[in-house]
Amino acid sequence: MASDPASAPAREPHPGNGRRAVLRALTGGGALAALSLTTAPQAAAAAQHTAPAASSDADPFALDRFVTSGRVREYWIQADSFPHNAVPNGRDGMTGMTYTADQTTYQAIGFRAYTPNWGSPLPADLGPYGIGPNSGIPGPVLRGEVGDLIKVHFRNNDAHYKWPHSMHPHGVRYSPDNDGGWMADDAKKAGTAVAFGESYTYTWQCTPGSVGSWPYHDHAAPQVPPRPATSGGTQGSSQGSAKGGSQGGGQNGAQSSGAGGDAHGAQSFGGGGGMVGEIGAELGLFGMIAVTDAGTPQVDREFVLFMHDLSAGDASGRADLSLCNGAAFVDNAPTFTAKAGERVRWRVGTLGNSFHVFHIHGHRWQSPAGWVDSQVLGPATTLTVEYREDNPGEWLYHCHLPAHMMRGMAGRYVVTR
């Protein structure tokens, strides 16, 4: 794997009257990101009092051209299956509720980075330009600079389910052969459903429009998860996979459960017993792509946070959980730390059927809409927040949908002097 990218010298933002010297806050993977990225990075960093706006002379039809830097960033990634307890200490530090391991343990699948030829897992690197904990959920941070090629050698080692898997990127440029998205009408297309024990190499380009935070995830064939025994001792359904024919059973989604719920899946995440789309991603096969350019500010801390949901029906009958990086509830979800005076960057992503609201207690940042302390994220979208830390204390970060918070989507953010 290539070394971490060299960052541009730190730039001091233009002084202003705001409480924080915010560098910039961009939403990735949506219209706001596209608008923000049409402006010069220096201008985005300097804006303090008004919401960033798209340049009036920006050409919406301009091509996002790739000009190679001649550098290839190479990763050896493996999909591993493993038992995973989302609440290892058995307690929610916010509400005081307790849980048993059998309620919160499921068979997960996660991406891990390895030495060349999948020799051995790489050690954790929690620095601002590292791959992260490399524990599987989320997968390693894949990094590139504008002009780089990201080459990913992927191997499927899902020894538990033995399902096919793939890697599908957002934000970078790629050809159809490097998409990783499975379709029933071309079911044997290479790289879209890599069988257990097999491998495939993807090549992605980092263009100027790729700067920001983007998810990557499994996008292989839908699968029918193994169902737990019912109270009558029978199986709900057996394992199966998409064969290109008609889909049996109910359609998975926020509305399909008999339990009902709001339009964003606040009541239930579960399916109706049929095939589940992107079930590999639900069980942990996802990660972050971070692309920088010469205008990307240096930071002292970078936090990668995924907000995602786990359906009890899709995870062998355990409780519905709302997770932060594969863990649920305060003191199980990651505790992020920073010091006053440090430059901090959050790369926040979402996956699943639900909308989420990212909120940090005691903090504000500037968005395209102005100063905020909460931002809405739809499924498979991202948010990049950068600021200089100035508020020591122990704080909560969480999804502001109460049902999601009660199902575990909350953690601590600790700032020291």
Side-chain angles (χ1 to χ4, degrees):
M1 188 183 69
S3 59
D4 294 323
S7 298
R11 293 180 174 85
E12 287 296 332
H14 190 278
N17 295 328
R19 182 171 175 272
R20 264 181 192 79
V22 173
L23 300 174
R24 58 183 174 180
L26 308 177
T27 48
L32 291 176
L35 294 174
S36 297
L37 290 171
T38 61
T39 62
Q42 294 88 344
Q48 291 293 309
H49 306 296
T50 59
S55 172
S56 60
D57 60 355
D59 180 1
F61 304 103
L63 294 176
D64 183 26
R65 297 186 182 277
F66 175 71
V67 178
T68 182
S69 65
R71 178 167 46 192
V72 177
R73 296 181 180 267
E74 200 163 10
Y75 294 87
W76 298 81
I77 305 297
Q78 184 165 280
D80 294 324
S81 52
F82 47 90
H84 176 66
N85 187 351
V87 191
N89 74 2
R91 185 176 184 272
D92 177 3
M94 182 176 66
T95 67
M97 295 177 65
T98 59
Y99 300 83
T100 59
D102 66 302
Q103 290 178 303
T104 57
T105 300
Y106 64 100
Q107 195 69 28
I109 323 169
F111 292 119
R112 292 188 176 117
Y114 280 71
T115 58
N117 297 305
W118 306 284
S120 59
L122 291 175
D125 184 349
L126 302 180
Y129 305 103
I131 61 170
N134 200 32
S135 57
I137 307 177
V141 182
L142 307 183
R143 298 185 182 273
E145 287 188 44
V146 170
D148 291 350
L149 287 178
I150 297 177
K151 181 172 285 190
V152 178
H153 306 283
F154 168 65
R155 184 168 72 176
N156 181 355
N157 188 43
D158 176 9
H160 179 80
Y161 298 102
K162 296 187 178 179
W163 289 335
H165 298 295
S166 70
M167 292 182 69
H168 167 70
H170 290 219
V172 290
R173 182 179 173 85
Y174 47 87
S175 68
D177 289 341
N178 295 281
D179 176 278
W182 184 86
M183 294 285 289
D185 59 4
D186 193 5
K188 295 186 182 299
K189 183 177 178 180
T192 65
V194 180
F196 170 60
E198 300 297 318
S199 62
Y200 189 80
T201 296
Y202 304 94
T203 301
W204 307 325
Q205 299 174 344
C206 298
T207 69
S210 300
V211 174
S213 306
W214 309 92
Y216 67 88
H217 57 89
D218 183 13
H219 207 317
Q223 303 293 325
V224 177
R227 303 296 180 181
T230 64
S231 58
T234 59
Q235 287 293 116
S237 67
S238 61
Q239 291 192 46
S241 63
K243 303 293 187 183
S246 61
Q247 178 170 316
Q251 181 182 6
N252 186 66
Q255 304 280 335
S256 62
S257 171
D262 69 13
H264 307 312
Q267 178 71 22
S268 176
F269 313 121
M275 291 190 296
V276 178
E278 298 189 5
I279 188 170
E282 182 182 352
L283 295 175
L285 286 175
F286 58 83
M288 189 73 76
I289 300 172
V291 181
T292 59
D293 64 8
T296 302
Q298 284 187 328
V299 292
D300 301 296
R301 307 275 179 166
E302 181 175 284
F303 310 131
V304 172
L305 172 66
F306 271 93
M307 307 169 84
H308 57 112
D309 301 308
L310 184 72
S311 163
D314 298 343
S316 302
R318 272 56 176 184
D320 280 354
L321 294 172
S322 295
L323 307 172
C324 294
N325 289 2
F329 305 113
V330 171
D331 296 329
N332 296 281
T335 295
F336 297 110
T337 62
K339 295 181 179 180
E342 290 184 327
R343 294 172 180 248
V344 175
R345 176 184 294 129
W346 293 76
R347 297 188 186 272
V348 184
T350 61
L351 283 173
N353 295 313
S354 299
F355 280 70
H356 300 293
V357 180
F358 175 65
H359 173 58
I360 313 175
H361 286 208
H363 291 74
R364 296 179 298 141
W365 57 90
Q366 194 172 13
S367 77
W371 288 91
V372 297
D373 67 0
S374 303
Q375 284 188 264
V376 178
L377 291 167
T381 59
T382 61
L383 172 70
T384 302
V385 173
E386 296 167 338
Y387 57 82
R388 188 186 295 278
E389 183 55 72
D390 73 341
N391 201 4
E394 289 196 8
W395 307 103
L396 276 177
Y397 68 86
H398 60 89
C399 175
H400 223 298
L401 273 72
H404 295 178
M405 186 164 51
M406 290 299 292
R407 280 196 290 261
M409 198 168 280
R412 292 188 196 272
Y413 175 44
V414 179
V415 181
T416 57
R417 296 188 182 276

